[in-house]
Structure formats: structure tokens, C-alpha cells
């Protein structure tokens, strides 16, 4: 019987020791996730075709006449590249 008690005590001590070494990590919300769509302060670009402003991550970039342009859609890009 004493052996069982000792075992329980040992288990308890081991458990406490384990908790001391590895305190439960606080779950932190990942608020700095760079893969999210609209981080504040993202560069806005203007679509030269329709004049719409959109974040650079959503824009379709194209080189037109050696200059980098950003478009809101493939349609705009196509229309712009055909125009110039
Ligand atoms: Zn457009």
C-alpha cells in the first residue's frame, strides 16, 4: 500500500516539476500575419486604364513601355497595353 502512495507522490511531484519546466504557453493571436490581405499602410497603386486605386498585392503588374504599371484586372491590362 505504501508503495502505491509513494508512486502517486512521485507521479504528483513529477507532474509539478514538468509544469514548472514547461508552463502552459499562452495562446497568442497571430496579429502580425503578413499573408493577410490588407495590412495597414500597404502601397496603393493606380490603374492607369480605369483610374481605380487598389492595394499593390491585389494589382496585376505589367511592364508597358519600360514602365511598371498596375491594373485592377486583366481586362484593364489588356486594354491599356493595346492602347499604347
Ligand atoms: Zn481597371
Amino acid at each position: 500500500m505504501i508503495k502505491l502512495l509513494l508512486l502517486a507522490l512521485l507521479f504528483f511531484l513529477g507532474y509539478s516539476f514538468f509544469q514548472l519546466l514547461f508552463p502552459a504557453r499562452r495562446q497568442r493571436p497571430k496579429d502580425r500575419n503578413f499573408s493577410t490581405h490588407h495590412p495597414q499602410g500597404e502601397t496603393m497603386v493606380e490603374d492607369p486604364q480605369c483610374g481605380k486605386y487598389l492595394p499593390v498585392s491585389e494589382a496585376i503588374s505589367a511592364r508597358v513601355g519600360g514602365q511598371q504599371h498596375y491594373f485592377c484586372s486583366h481586362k484593364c491590362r489588356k486594354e491599356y497595353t493595346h492602347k499604347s
Side-chain angles (χ1 to χ4, degrees):
M1 193 63 196
I2 193 89
K3 205 173 172 183
L4 202 82
L5 267 167
L6 266 170
L7 209 78
L9 193 75
L10 218 85
F11 183 78
F12 177 76
L13 278 173
Y15 182 75
S16 309
F17 190 64
F18 188 81
Q19 289 239 310
L20 216 93
L21 279 179
F22 306 99
R25 284 175 203 168
R26 263 181 245 165
Q27 293 261 318
R28 258 191 174 180
K30 284 176 184 171
D31 52 346
R32 289 277 169 200
N33 195 344
F34 287 105
S35 64
T36 44
H37 310 295
H38 295 289
Q40 287 282 312
E42 187 178 357
T43 316
M44 298 294 280
V45 288
E46 189 187 2
D47 183 332
Q49 178 61 27
C50 67
K52 195 173 149 184
Y53 277 92
L54 64 156
V56 72
S57 63
E58 280 184 18
I60 296 150
S61 62
R63 235 169 220 289
V64 185
Q67 259 207 310
Q68 192 78 30
H69 288 290
Y70 295 94
F71 303 93
C72 69
S73 64
H74 286 284
K75 188 174 158 277
C76 278
R77 189 182 70 172
K78 201 174 164 186
E79 278 170 15
Y80 189 81
T81 49
H82 278 254
K83 194 172 72 182
S84 54

